Amino acid sequence: MIYADVIIDISLDKLDRPFSYRIPENLLEKVDVGTRVLVPFGKGNTIKKAYIIALSENTAYDPEKVKDIAGIAKDAVTIEEKQVELAAFIRKSFGGTMNQALKVVLPAKASVKKLEFREVVRLMGREELLALKGEALRKHQNAKVKLLEELLLQETIPYEWITGKLGVSSSSIASLAKAGALKVESVTRYRNPVHMDSREEERKSLSPDQQAIVDAVREDEKNGIKGRYLIHGITGSGKTEVYMALIEDVVKKGKQAIFLIPEIALTYQTLVRFFRRFGNRVSVMNSTLSPGEKYDQCMRAKNGEIDIVIGPRSALFVPFPDLGMIIMDEEHETSYKSESTPKYHARIVAEKLADMSDCAFVMGSATPSVDAYYNAQQGHYRMFKLKERLTGGALPMVSVVDLRRELKEGNRSIFSGKLKELLRDRIDRGEQSILFLNRRGYSGFISCRECGKVMKCPHCDVSLSEHYGGKLVCHYCGYETTRPEVCPECGSKYIAGFKAGTEQIEESLNRLFPGVKVLRMDADTTKTKDSYEKILSTFSNGEAQILVGTQMIVKGHDFPKVTLVGVLAADLSLGSTDFHAAERTFQLLVQAVGRAGRGELPGEAVIQTYQPEHYAIGFAAAQDYEGFFEEEKAYRSLLGYPPLAHMLAVQIFGPDRERAEKLAENIGGGIRKNAPDITEGADVSGMAVIGPAPASIGRIKDMYRFVVYIKAERYDILVKAKDLIEERLKSARLKNEIVQFDFDPVNML
Ligand code: ADP
Ligand code: ZN
Ligand code: ZN
């Protein structure tokens, strides 16, 4: 192997192809696929960083003209060969450049100096040490005496402890080393981001339903099947316990496991359980780690110091030597999809990695994504159900309140009569309540009641939200202005907000129930990391009776004393134009309702809505996942939406509206014209091109946004369409336009 294909580390699409270099003799032993090297590039032979992505005996180019690799990049992290393969898969399936894909699979961006730790190691026997000590005593070398006495007691002593606590200088240590009494050794210690007592957890004997899952996976394993599984089990049904049992099997075989959780999940509670079971063989990987800590976790994984890594989608790229299982908890969470190019979905990459590693892949959720559930129904995943809560506590009683009727009956408050009555009742009984609003800000948008003008952000096509203290804020770019006294359009005094926000609810509660302690949790009250934990612990300690919040309160965390959950306006999230609206609403409602009655006391939930007849609300109230799924499947099938078909959103951004629109039109037109090619003579009706259309928010941060949607039954047709667009863009004269691809988008633009 004397030639290497490298990808130059510059984010220029035009250079995003492999270049061939010769590996000089002196580097032959030192490079491999994934090594970051320095290469002379272009006419001026400027030195650039590059990744080796393949090695070969020969080159397709004139060997005379192939240049030599100049050296190995300092402090660079080597990408494992498997990760290079994964990067190629990500690039191919989700678009973007190889360079961008390589950056994704690199969990630690740079090698960071390891923590070096020095130890003094005893080399002499007792008699010899005593002789040396006698000599030192005679010469009044007190420092040496102290050190020799210490060495008589223990074989290894931390260097810093000797020079610090013991007060012995480095020169004394060196002198004793010279005499052959000791040696100084460097030990590398990897930083462990988790500090927790590991205490053996009393192991629960699995319920028959839990055991059946573990047995089925074992049976498959015995038969050489590395299965794909989906566990559909309500919160508290024992999924985590099953994951831990499965991981235990994996670890016993000397293999490793990746446990994926959504970025926002409360990792602490889960971590504690894993630590109690697996001790310090567990580690975490997430965005709060420093680069040094990230790098060290990769090294610990590589060196076999840990068996399990817990983390969001980036944990997939921790380089384990012998991966035995991937688990994805809360599979339905949209944060598993990357929001920046390449916009990959962790579920698809995990499946690929499981294929490559020949290992099992387990997903779990209380409300599986329509995608995953559909795939399970089609037989791609084996499905298991866990139907009962193991810690007692039945599912809550749910009532749906029609807000239109409330209004007709003269109730203009945010709370229905029913909700008010139940809140009062919980306060009297000393039980807790949670009120959930899927919205942030004080009172939503502000408009003029006379002329209808809506106050909008001057940089983005969105309305400003009113916040406390008379401020108007743009949630997309952060633009802030003071609330005008009169309408800038017509001068009317009657400008006001429409919808209630969390702050307004808090205020109403204070008026309605004076003296009752209310906590509020939303994006504004949780700006710092600690504030989030603090609100949760205050509430779970019973220091407040009511917790008001946005969707962040419906995830994770058990509050045993909560016996009432109120959803204030269930349909707010149904209003969006995103085809996932019903799915998201259903999931949020099921989760929210499930917050009630997690302890001994039975729970109750009230869903307030303007659309009580909507199926997402009806099935959520009935806690009927299958019912919802079938209805949703029929709807998506009718309109050709994923998962019944696939969809590619081509997103075009640009500061010049006309240029961006023109580019979007060209892209849409190009695909239409080449439809027969792209579909390879397969039924052309297997593909549909929609748009271009301005994105639902047409402008953000002064960039105009357009989308072309391409729908096709087969994913590979969409990949071909993307390839064609990428190819054309290479020769297009773009100014500041950006084109991005989003396959099977989880959020519509
Ligand atoms: P999930 O992950 O589905 O929310 P968990 O695994 O966290 O469920 O289990 C919910 C609760 O039930 C936890 O407190 C857990 O300790 C307990 N639990 C789980 N499995 C068992 C079991 N087999 N026997 C007794 N308690 C169990
Ligand atoms: Zn006006
Ligand atoms: Zn803005």
Side-chain angles (χ1 to χ4, degrees):
M1 303 289 184
I2 50 165
Y3 293 101
D5 284 346
V6 309
I7 293 279
I8 309 285
D9 188 8
I10 340 177
S11 50
L12 264 184
D13 293 1
K14 297 199 166 75
L15 294 179
D16 196 60
R17 58 177 179 89
F19 290 87
S20 192
Y21 281 85
R22 184 183 295 100
I23 308 168
E25 196 87 19
N26 65 325
L27 291 181
L28 272 178
E29 299 279 287
K30 293 182 187 147
V31 302
D32 208 337
V33 170
T35 309
R36 197 137 185 252
V37 291
L38 300 171
V39 296
F41 190 74
K43 286 222 173 71
N45 280 333
T46 37
I47 295 292
K48 301 261 182 234
K49 285 181 184 156
Y51 291 105
I52 298 184
I53 57 159
L55 298 171
S56 61
E57 306 273 358
N58 35 46
T59 173
Y61 301 90
D62 178 0
E64 296 282 299
K65 291 194 180 143
V66 172
K67 299 174 194 172
D68 274 9
I69 289 178
I72 294 176
K74 223 175 79 206
D75 299 334
V77 181
T78 299
I79 310 181
E80 301 293 303
E81 194 162 349
K82 200 158 87 178
Q83 293 173 325
V84 174
E85 196 184 333
L86 214 48
F89 170 80
I90 290 173
R91 201 210 75 77
K92 181 170 161 281
S93 319
F94 300 101
T97 65
M98 187 61 187
N99 202 15
Q100 286 167 325
L102 286 169
K103 296 242 151 72
V104 165
V105 301
L106 210 61
K109 301 296 175 232
S111 92
V112 179
K113 212 160 173 280
K114 291 174 198 76
L115 286 189
E116 295 260 315
F117 180 83
R118 281 181 300 174
E119 273 180 347
V120 165
V121 182
R122 179 172 80 200
L123 292 178
M124 281 178 170
R126 193 177 163 76
E127 297 303 311
E128 285 172 293
L129 287 175
L130 282 171
L132 272 182
K133 185 184 153 192
E135 194 188 316
L137 271 172
R138 269 197 313 280
K139 294 185 184 164
H140 302 286
Q141 294 166 321
N142 291 340
K144 277 192 189 172
V145 173
K146 270 197 277 186
L147 179 51
L148 285 164
E149 278 176 349
E150 206 57 42
L151 275 176
L152 280 161
L153 294 173
Q154 28 189 331
E155 208 177 314
T156 57
I157 313 164
Y159 192 98
E160 264 66 46
W161 188 80
I162 299 173
T163 54
K165 257 238 167 90
L166 213 55
V168 172
S169 69
S170 312
S171 62
S172 302
I173 300 175
S175 151
L176 281 175
K178 217 169 154 198
L182 56 86
K183 66 173 177 187
V184 178
E185 270 190 351
S186 289
V187 195
T188 16
R189 287 277 157 93
Y190 293 113
R191 275 154 286 209
N192 184 349
V194 199
H195 305 281
M196 219 176 267
D197 286 344
S198 74
R199 183 150 49 86
E200 184 69 7
E201 182 197 37
E202 43 152 331
R203 207 179 273 24
K204 307 196 162 63
S205 48
L206 296 181
S207 73
D209 286 346
Q210 286 174 316
Q211 191 62 49
I213 301 176
V214 175
D215 288 345
V217 175
R218 281 184 189 154
E219 188 64 27
D220 279 352
E221 166 90 32
K222 224 188 279 162
N223 296 325
I225 301 167
K226 313 291 175 175
R228 308 283 174 258
Y229 310 95
L230 174 64
I231 304 176
H232 176 204
I234 56 170
T235 318
S237 62
K239 295 185 293 298
T240 308
E241 211 59 36
V242 171
Y243 303 145
M244 290 201 289
L246 292 173
I247 291 176
E248 202 155 41
D249 281 1
V250 169
V251 173
K252 268 192 201 134
K253 276 188 236 113
K255 298 190 174 205
Q256 303 87 39
I258 294 171
F259 185 66
L260 296 174
I261 48 164
E263 180 85 50
I264 29 89
L266 284 175
T267 61
Y268 190 75
Q269 286 183 331
T270 315
L271 258 187
V272 172
R273 285 172 75 181
F274 272 79
F275 264 80
R276 293 202 171 144
R277 180 73 70 90
F278 299 103
N280 58 10
R281 305 285 300 172
V282 183
S283 192
V284 285
M285 191 74 177
N286 66 28
S287 56
T288 67
L289 300 191
S290 69
E293 285 172 329
K294 281 186 192 165
Y295 176 74
D296 288 349
Q297 298 330 297
C298 291
M299 293 314 285
R300 291 172 80 211
K302 221 167 174 168
N303 298 336
E305 285 177 36
I306 51 175
D307 299 321
I308 303 154
V309 70
I310 302 182
R313 50 171 200 266
S314 61
L316 273 176
F317 308 111
V318 170
F320 279 122
D322 193 6
L323 189 62
M325 183 173 283
I326 305 171
I327 294 176
M328 186 175 198
D329 194 24
E330 310 275 357
E331 162 283 319
H332 62 276
E333 283 288 338
T334 54
S335 68
Y336 279 124
K337 178 100 189 245
S338 168
E339 279 177 17
S340 49
T341 304
K343 300 185 178 185
Y344 69 96
H345 198 300
R347 190 195 314 121
I348 294 171
V349 177
E351 248 186 286
K352 173 71 181 175
L353 180 60
D355 284 347
M356 285 166 51
S357 316
D358 193 23
C359 75
F361 176 39
V362 182
M363 288 162 282
S365 172
T367 48
S369 65
V370 172
D371 281 15
Y373 202 85
Y374 178 74
N375 278 320
Q377 225 182 31
Q378 297 294 105
H380 299 311
Y381 309 140
R382 186 162 170 190
M383 184 138 56
F384 298 110
K385 305 230 173 201
L386 291 174
K387 294 205 161 124
E388 273 150 47
R389 278 185 181 174
L390 287 164
T391 46
L395 286 171
M397 269 215 356
V398 187
S399 22
V400 176
V401 174
D402 186 345
L403 286 175
R404 293 168 306 192
R405 181 176 298 166
E406 292 284 318
L407 201 64
K408 237 183 252 155
E409 288 166 5
N411 179 8
R412 293 178 173 277
S413 125
I414 318 168
F415 310 110
S416 59
K418 170 107 185 168
L419 185 54
K420 244 186 274 183
E421 179 196 315
L422 292 180
L423 275 170
R424 160 73 54 206
D425 175 64
R426 302 303 127 129
I427 292 165
D428 291 346
R429 293 210 306 240
E431 293 169 14
Q432 291 181 308
S433 306
I434 288 180
L435 295 180
F436 164 57
L437 182 74
N438 184 16
R439 194 185 173 81
R440 83 179 216 195
Y442 177 71
S443 67
F445 67 89
I446 299 288
S447 65
C448 172
R449 298 256 157 118
E450 304 243 354
C451 77
K453 179 181 169 64
V454 175
M455 307 300 149
K456 283 193 167 181
C457 172
H459 309 288
C460 312
D461 246 2
V462 295
S463 39
L464 296 166
S465 298
E466 187 176 20
H467 281 241
Y468 201 74
K471 271 185 307 188
L472 297 183
V473 180
C474 170
H475 287 168
Y476 284 83
C477 73
Y479 170 85
E480 232 183 76
T481 183
T482 46
R483 188 189 197 286
E485 294 289 323
V486 294
C487 171
E489 200 76 16
C490 73
S492 154
K493 286 187 307 210
Y494 299 99
I495 48 174
F498 273 123
K499 284 164 190 154
T502 44
E503 281 175 60
Q504 206 177 19
I505 295 167
E506 187 186 13
E507 281 170 17
S508 304
L509 285 169
N510 288 336
R511 253 179 314 193
L512 210 54
F513 308 111
V516 169
K517 177 102 170 101
V518 177
L519 286 170
R520 176 164 63 91
M521 181 145 152
D522 54 28
D524 293 325
T525 61
T526 53
K527 288 233 165 75
T528 65
K529 215 175 109 195
D530 293 345
S531 52
Y532 183 64
E533 282 292 327
K534 194 159 167 257
I535 295 172
L536 289 177
S537 64
T538 309
F539 190 62
S540 68
N541 291 339
E543 288 166 46
Q545 280 77 58
I546 303 174
L547 174 63
V548 180
T550 53
Q551 53 260 51
M552 61 178 77
I553 59 173
V554 303
K555 321 227 158 178
H557 232 98
D558 269 352
F559 301 109
K561 283 182 82 182
V562 169
T563 57
L564 173 64
V565 167
V567 181
L568 292 162
D571 29 293
L572 277 188
S573 51
L574 280 175
S576 96
T577 52
D578 192 327
F579 74 86
H580 299 93
E583 178 178 1
R584 298 285 137 71
T585 304
F586 175 81
Q587 285 165 346
L588 271 172
L589 291 180
V590 169
Q591 283 168 11
V593 164
R595 300 278 92 197
R598 297 295 286 276
E600 312 267 284
L601 304 163
E604 227 173 316
V606 176
I607 298 177
Q608 303 189 153
T609 174
Y610 290 96
Q611 300 175 58
E613 65 286 345
H614 194 288
Y615 65 98
I617 291 173
F619 285 122
Q623 310 265 306
D624 178 358
Y625 182 89
E626 279 81 10
F628 168 76
F629 174 80
E630 290 304 331
E631 186 104 15
E632 182 68 11
K633 187 171 90 176
Y635 156 73
R636 299 219 189 157
S637 161
L638 201 66
L639 296 170
Y641 283 130
L644 289 105
H646 292 285
M647 187 170 198
L648 168 62
V650 187
Q651 305 162 343
I652 299 102
F653 308 121
D656 181 315
R657 191 177 193 286
E658 267 161 46
R659 284 187 62 92
E661 187 163 17
K662 187 98 187 47
L663 178 62
E665 269 160 16
N666 286 342
I667 286 174
I671 294 300
R672 281 194 187 94
K673 211 167 89 209
N674 287 284
D677 265 358
I678 296 167
T679 52
E680 263 179 358
D683 191 0
V684 186
S685 68
M687 185 179 81
V689 184
I690 304 148
S696 63
I697 298 166
R699 185 169 52 136
I700 288 183
K701 293 183 191 167
D702 290 322
M703 289 288 264
Y704 290 89
R705 296 144 40 99
F706 293 87
V707 213
V708 175
Y709 287 108
I710 308 172
K711 289 200 256 183
E713 271 151 41
R714 284 178 14 216
Y715 198 90
D716 63 315
I717 289 180
L718 296 181
V719 171
K720 279 212 196 88
K722 176 216 70 182
D723 288 347
L724 183 85
I725 296 168
E726 278 184 338
E727 195 52 43
R728 296 239 168 143
L729 284 174
K730 280 185 189 156
S731 53
R733 263 173 313 200
L734 301 187
K735 252 193 195 147
N736 293 302
E737 290 77 21
I738 298 167
V739 177
Q740 292 185 348
F741 300 96
D742 193 352
F743 284 81
D744 287 344
V746 297
N747 289 308
M748 303 283 279
L749 207 57

